[in-house]
Amino acid sequence: MNKNYIILMGILILLAAGLLVLPLKNNSKQLDPEVLMWDIVQPTRYVSTDEVAKMIIEHDPLLVMVDVRSAEDFQLFSLTNAINFPLDSLALDDAKSALTFNKRNMVFYSNDDLKSDQAWVIAKRLGLKNIYVLKGGLNRWIQTIIQPEAPAETASEAEFNLYAFRQGASQYFTGGSISIDQSPQAEIVVSRKKKAKAAEGGC
Amino acid sequence: MNQEIDIQDRPKYINPYFGGVLLGLVLLITFYITGRGLGASGAVKSAVVTTVDKVAPDHAEQNTYMKAFITDDHSPMFNWLVFESFGIFIGGLLSGALFGRIKKLRIEKSPSITNKTRLFAAGIGGILFGIGSQFGRGCSSGAALSGTASSSFGGLLVMLLMFGTGYLVAYFFRKLWI
Amino acid sequence: MGPLIPQGIIPMGWDFVIALLIGIAFGFVLEASGFSSSRNITGVFYGYNFVVLRVFFTAVVVAMIGLQYFDYFGWIDLNQIYVLPTFLSPMIVGAIIMGVGFVLGGFCPGTSYTAIAIGKIDAMVFTGGLFLGIFLFSEFFPFFEQFYYSGNMGSITIGEFFGISNNLVTLIFVVIAVIAFYVTWRIELRVRKNMTQYKF
């Protein structure tokens, strides 16, 4: 027998055996911790209640509001067209595919911004993009949008403008004196995107 | 027959292990690019469906098996496997030309049988392969080769049983080959 | 990363160009290895030429190892690879029918295309038979439709079936292949000694 063949076969066996001794690989592609740390300290992930209110009123097609509170809380009160995705379900395997909205901006919110911040970190580690957190959560939402406080007499014009906007928004969301026809909250059904379909084969 | 002449006439094939590595790499690249393996009999299936669809469209439409492959927007020939199989043919031409194996039309057979017998056996073999590849979800390249390479249990099953059956029945057809 | 086309990295429009190129490479290797000759191929059943076993096993093993490493390095997502689904009973029947057809015809579909390219009439008849066989199958499909879909086990892998990892399956496969290479080499030497009228 040719010696070269013995060497070649040896290489083949070594390669195959190498597969067994390779350390278990980390299957889920998660974000590098350093990159994550950098992103966490950036304040850019926060969006203010005013910005969100504006986007909702303008029916921004790219906006997806994600309520990370429990389903019961979601039933009681939620923002227009928000979808419910409780924090614990983010740990599930299909969370990533369920939350992958093509190039849409996802804004997490909870009562304050603690839970939504956690959700943001998890989502970030899952590799999701275009995700944000509603600064101050629903509490701030109520304070600023639903029951806006009138600025002091001495306040700047910008503040008055903001107040005017908030009053309008308040009326929009609470259905106050300016009656805007608001159909019962339309629900976005969380369409769980199927895993990218494996290519068809055939002979 | 003279041994010396035989050795000189021996067609120059590449080393089978080298060929195997090349074929393995082609298969690997195919998986990498398209996410599926190679195939061959699928092209004939497309040809069958196209022919029946041309000759008797209603009949093809009624057939539960063929119906699935007929769409309004394009012909069943507009199919990945058809293009790939056409490539196989061209590849065979290239290699045949390179190694000087393209010659006039001929029949290859054992000296102990007639041309008629060889062609008859080839035809029957083709029919059986055609039927078997439909049940087996692929032929030797689609099911056995690509299936096994992608660790499919069905692929392994088809490969083992196909060659196993071959060995079992080989004795009865030995006249065809030796 | 990969597979490129299902991931949308290469647009679908290139699909057919790539199909043609891959086919050319496939056909070239088949012909160059000697698969355009039916007597070469069937030698595997009579012990005088094991080229089929060598090429086939080497290719499977190389592709298997390659896929596992590609997956390990994250170059390919094995979940998106098409794993041939297993339909137990129809596959057993199909494989047996193909086995008989293999010995009778001396080709399999892919190799017959390359044999046509170099001018083998028997390969043309074989491909004609293939056409007829698939036509017959489609015509009589309603009679065995139920059987055709029976025994569906889904896209089960060898490792899943035996309850071991697919990496181990690969290693076992390589060891079996190497043993087979050695044994068939010995057999071939002995059989060829007694054969004088066959040109390899």
Side-chain angles (χ1 to χ4, degrees), chain B residues 83-157:
Chain B
F83 282 79
E84 189 231 39
S85 298
F86 188 59
I88 296 178
F89 177 79
I90 298 176
L93 264 180
L94 286 176
S95 165
L98 189 66
F99 295 102
R101 279 193 286 270
I102 300 182
K103 292 170 199 152
K104 63 175 195 307
L105 296 181
R106 62 200 183 278
I107 296 171
E108 190 193 21
K109 61 173 185 60
S110 160
S112 49
I113 56 167
T114 62
N115 280 348
K116 234 186 191 163
T117 318
R118 169 68 189 119
L119 293 184
F120 183 71
I124 299 289
I127 292 174
L128 289 178
F129 230 111
I131 296 172
S133 64
Q134 301 311 299
F135 278 117
R137 268 67 175 180
C139 58
S140 31
S141 31
L145 181 67
S146 310
T148 314
S150 60
S151 306
S152 155
F153 176 67
L156 179 73
L157 189 76

Side-chain angles (χ1 to χ4, degrees), chain C residues 61-132:
Chain C
V61 162
V62 166
M64 253 183 162
I65 295 178
L67 278 178
Q68 310 280 2
Y69 274 102
F70 272 39
D71 182 46
Y72 183 81
F73 292 123
W75 297 340
I76 198 166
D77 183 0
L78 278 192
N79 293 325
Q80 288 193 36
I81 291 290
Y82 175 77
V83 175
L84 189 78
T86 304
F87 292 82
L88 200 57
S89 26
M91 268 185 163
I92 291 174
V93 171
I96 290 173
I97 296 175
M98 278 193 277
V100 180
F102 206 172
V103 176
L104 270 171
F107 289 113
C108 60
T111 59
S112 74
Y113 304 158
T114 65
I116 293 176
I118 64 161
K120 296 263 170 81
I121 299 172
D122 40 341
M124 295 171 195
V125 176
F126 180 89
T127 309
L130 207 60
F131 187 90
L132 199 60

